[in-house]
């Protein structure tokens, strides 16, 4: 099967970037199958994502990186060149609510998520049977309300041991400590069960019910130290009415959460999400 | 053309309400063309809306009200019985943004809004030609930042003079004083250009842009003293991405605002919106 | 836990139906928690659905049916009175595509579908492990292209043996013979992977791709002898663009199919779907 | 105010196109503000759209075209280079239904549609006052059922006289003869009041009502000789239920039609729509 190199760039916008990069790739014989660009006029920053058929270029990802490096330096690029053969390693963290976990496992099995699921970590035992049935290691790390540091020390150890490229809080329901937010910055994806910035914090569906909103939502975002305030990757909503109880909102919410998290994670794994400041460029 | 009576009821939920009301109507020979009920389990309150073919009942709305009154008393109902021949009188208030005004005038002309538009009040002259072209009186009431009370005194006088059943803030951009909010409680409809409770206050699209949300919205609600916090009638959203500038958000927002306000107003005029506490039951 | 009686009625519209039914229920002390009515002006037919707290009525479903029967006769009703304690028995039929099956099993486990899943029938072995892991009997009934009648004889035997109230074609990919369509009329639910009536028949996503549509959809409907033409219960869509390959359409389609089938089945199980002619009334 | 050149290209996909084009632009000092590309893997065709700040290039559109021409030839491009200062000339054609016309006129007034509206042609007199109030010439060209050729001869004369770049059938309700379809190929945009390919032909809302669909839609497409079968630019839908009469469907449909046509036309005017075969690439 074909594999691809993905070149993702963010840099100050100036004349000739596309020309330079595309000429470089053409010069190597590189066949581009997808190309996306964006100039952010407010910040003056430029973003691009190229997908290149690896076989069209006669060199490894590593050599290609070395060859490209001077251009990156010249244009002051934040950049990455990934090889789709190097599958990302993902750790899922869950609590007792299983809908996101079940959904991600199904999509992973169906080939919708191009990654290895290296491990599942949970503060409860509930999901062990399901996870192990999929052949994935399951780690039970209880979080004591009195002293969470031991638990998060263990979480860190497990994530590092799993060599995780990405951690997904699939309804984990615990707040990560600042140390972990910082250590894995840009690599931890959360699903929040509201249309942020509305109803940040706990029990958002009950807040939504009390406010009498006519739509509820969910938000997939990168985790930062400030709770529920990190860069938003994707959001969606579901219509509700006076007929619906808080339980109905929770039920509808589950469907929105699953869909939004799955899209956000897929885009992240395909290098489609570029963060700048507290916002994202998503080449969906 | 047929006309209809609309009976709208809210009362403490208890045994036999529907039976009593429907038997009463059947006893008068009343043919029910639409019937909606809702029991709010949390508050223990019951809501209903019946539409009755007027010709099937051999009495005027007034007589019907008198006849129904003892039942209403027995069940401690908040209720109203309206006659579709009595068209509601609506006053529109606008500022400089014309999209909601233009949209409502078109829908009114096309027969989508069953009401008389008694007058348009604006703090600017901009919309006079368009409004007068539709044969509707236009009142320019400038609002001085230093002393708004004179202006709102004049607004009150004009609304009262117009015998308005309903006031629509179609992007009026001024905050009504508490005295008017109270005087016209439950009869003033506002369109807020965000998905409330997100981005309450000024410049919501710019707030949304800064936060990097992936959906923007609009909210149609009844005006109460607390700014942007009244009962929500309807909401909707539009998808946005990193490609979109604040101007694009404003442009998309206009379409959502028009749609949401038009639905909210139509439902209000058709007695489909029942307020309880700070929420609404909408028999859409 | 409380249980409920659900009274579902369809009859020629005439004066006093609601009055008669609601008075009957009130006369038995019945507490109504949900009530929906609809008058179809074109066909002159009336539809209603009442949910009654069983404990508020001092009699069994059977006795209640006997007591109600004369009213039903008088108004020429098609009607049913069900008891939520009598869980429906559902047979799922699948082929190789597992997304709908996995989704339904998850929702069933999560308590979203109030039924027993009596069995899964498939023309392939692929899903056995998953189904049996859920403790549900799995029947492999291969369908030979040369002689399908033996297979469908076996299907009929299994469905009857399972005492199924409802058969769900969760991407079964085989056309049921007329004999089964007739035998289980109004009880077989199919998910079609297009926005019917567009792209009926085989490979609808490829048809959609060729036509260059900007939205793809899915349709949940009752199965009738005429292929893809039965009463529609629910539909939904997903936006697509020139970027998307037929495979992407299939992937998006899976999500729409899951959502649409789950809603349709839930509504069916809650007696919210009333068929008349080739259309449905859905008290969602 | 800044103006822009828009370069739109479609050609056989091969190595080095982006490199060649972007290097050419960079070589002229051209600052690219938007760039979109698409490789259609099925047809092996490549599409691109570049927006270039005109002031960053020291030459006129005409000179730029001459300079670019050899590259276009080398890569066998279908291409166009437009200057945003050259506003497109649009002719609107309407019948009696005014909603699309009113909507387009509002958007044009509000600056959402970057074009001149050169004339409105109608087979009825109804819209004259509104159109002339906007300062736009109005031509009444009655279409006799017996002999349509005279009318369409006159339509052709008026369109040519108006030097129209684009003709919009804003609910014109007459079928253009093949001669006009051919003469203005790729320049006539229609709004069809159904979710094509469902319900092609007449009275689609009534067809949709009879079929009992749960969503109705609208389709904006280029007109070709085959009725309702041209390349689709945009589609959208509105949810309906058993509560809704054919009139409600018509009313909802009006909103969808307006939105879909406005988006389609805007994209066309901004050179975002590239046709290939019977499909479109839309760089929205």
């Amino acid at each position: 099967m074909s594999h691809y190199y993905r070149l993702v760039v963010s840099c100050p916008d100036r004349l000739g970037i596309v020309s330079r990069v595309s000429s470089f790739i053409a010069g190597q014989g590189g066949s581009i199958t997808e190309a996306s660009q964006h100039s952010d006029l407010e910040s003056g920053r430029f973003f691009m994502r190229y997908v290149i058929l690896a076989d069209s270029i006669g060199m490894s990802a590593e050599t290609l990186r070395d060859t490209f490096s001077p251009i990156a330096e010249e244009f002051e690029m934040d950049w990455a060149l990934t090889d789709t053969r190097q599958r990302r390693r993902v750790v899922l963290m869950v609590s007792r609510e299983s809908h996101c976990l079940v959904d991600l496992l199904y999509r992973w099995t169906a080939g919708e998520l191009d990654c290895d699921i290296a491990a599942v970590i949970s503060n409860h035992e509930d999901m062990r049977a399901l996870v192990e049935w999929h052949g994935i290691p399951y780690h039970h790390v209880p979080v004591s309300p009195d002293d969470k540091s031991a638990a998060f020390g263990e979480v860190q150890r497990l994530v590092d041991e799993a060599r995780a490229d990405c951690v997904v809080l699939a309804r984990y329901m615990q707040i990560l400590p600042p140390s972990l937010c910082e250590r894995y910055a840009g690599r931890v994806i959360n699903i929040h069960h509201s249309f942020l910035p509305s109803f940040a914090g706990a029990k958002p569906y009950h807040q939504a019910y009390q406010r009498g909103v006519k739509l509820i939502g969910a938000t997939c975002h990168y985790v930062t130290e400030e709770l529920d305030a990190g860069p938003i990757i994707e959001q969606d909503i579901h219509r509700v009415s006076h007929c619906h109880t808080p339980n109905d909102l929770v039920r509808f919410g589950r469907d929105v959460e699953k869909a939004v998290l799955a899209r956000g994670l897929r885009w992240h794994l395909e290098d489609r999400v570029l963060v700048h400041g507290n916002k994202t460029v998503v080449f969906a």
Side-chain angles (χ1 to χ4, degrees), chain A:
Chain A
M1 218 186 90
S2 306
H3 68 113
Y4 298 88
Y5 298 140
R6 288 198 288 247
L7 175 64
V8 176
V9 167
S10 151
C11 64
D13 201 358
R14 63 188 227 228
L15 206 68
I17 305 170
V18 173
S19 159
R20 189 65 168 273
V21 174
S22 59
S23 299
F24 168 82
I25 295 169
Q28 313 295 335
S31 174
I32 296 171
T33 57
E34 284 181 65
S36 311
Q37 284 125 260
H38 174 61
S39 297
D40 188 67
L41 299 178
E42 199 189 41
S43 64
R45 207 155 172 88
F46 177 79
F47 305 85
M48 72 188 301
R49 173 184 182 270
Y50 274 22
V51 181
I52 307 148
L53 189 63
D55 287 346
S56 66
I57 288 194
M59 58 177 86
S60 71
E62 199 158 297
T63 313
L64 189 57
R65 271 182 216 116
D66 289 345
T67 322
F68 183 70
S69 185
I71 295 175
E73 215 156 296
E74 181 191 337
F75 285 89
E76 302 170 78
M77 293 176 174
D78 286 340
W79 68 291
L81 191 141
T82 60
D83 182 340
T84 57
R85 274 189 311 199
Q86 296 289 328
R87 304 186 89 204
R88 299 290 164 82
R89 296 180 62 78
V90 172
V91 165
L92 304 179
M93 297 184 69
V94 297
S95 189
R96 279 192 154 127
E97 293 254 36
S98 63
H99 55 285
C100 285
L101 177 69
V102 169
D103 185 70
L104 292 179
L105 290 178
Y106 168 74
R107 290 179 194 277
W108 178 68
T109 309
E112 289 189 18
L113 297 172
D114 192 23
C115 64
D116 292 330
I117 299 186
V120 173
I121 300 174
S122 178
N123 52 341
H124 295 283
E125 276 287 4
D126 308 44
M127 299 297 126
R128 181 179 294 279
L130 178 74
V131 169
E132 294 184 346
W133 192 75
H134 283 83
I136 299 165
Y138 188 87
H139 305 291
H140 177 209
V141 183
V143 179
S144 150
D146 304 325
D147 177 15
K148 302 194 170 188
S149 62
F152 287 115
E154 177 65 3
V155 165
Q156 179 180 321
R157 200 189 60 75
L158 289 165
V159 170
D160 289 350
E161 187 183 83
R163 288 168 293 118
D165 299 293
C166 174
V167 176
V168 177
L169 307 185
R171 298 298 306 260
Y172 178 56
M173 310 306 282
Q174 295 283 333
I175 299 168
L176 287 201
S179 60
L180 291 193
C181 294
E182 199 183 317
R183 185 180 185 90
Y184 304 122
R187 295 158 55 196
V188 184
I189 292 175
N190 185 43
I191 180 70
H192 185 81
H193 45 324
S194 92
F195 182 70
L196 289 174
S198 292
F199 311 125
K203 293 229 158 217
Y205 293 126
H206 292 78
Q207 291 182 55
Y209 178 79
Q210 289 307 331
R211 181 62 187 91
V213 291
K214 301 301 184 185
L215 305 169
I216 56 163
T219 304
C220 178
H221 65 97
Y222 288 112
V223 171
T224 56
E225 286 192 36
E226 192 183 340
L227 185 66
D228 298 335
I232 293 170
I233 304 170
E234 172 64 337
Q235 302 187 291
D236 213 338
I237 54 93
H238 193 285
R239 190 161 280 274
V240 296
S241 82
H242 61 269
C243 300
H244 300 119
T245 63
N247 278 347
D248 290 324
L249 271 56
V250 168
R251 178 166 55 86
F252 294 148
R254 284 200 292 256
D255 283 343
V256 187
E257 293 163 31
K258 289 187 302 193
V260 166
L261 177 57
R263 286 204 291 271
L265 176 57
R266 185 179 156 101
W267 292 338
H268 174 85
L269 293 172
E270 294 180 347
D271 297 316
R272 295 180 183 277
V273 189
L274 289 73
V275 175
H276 72 120
N278 203 43
K279 299 168 70 171
T280 61
V281 168
V282 180
F283 291 126

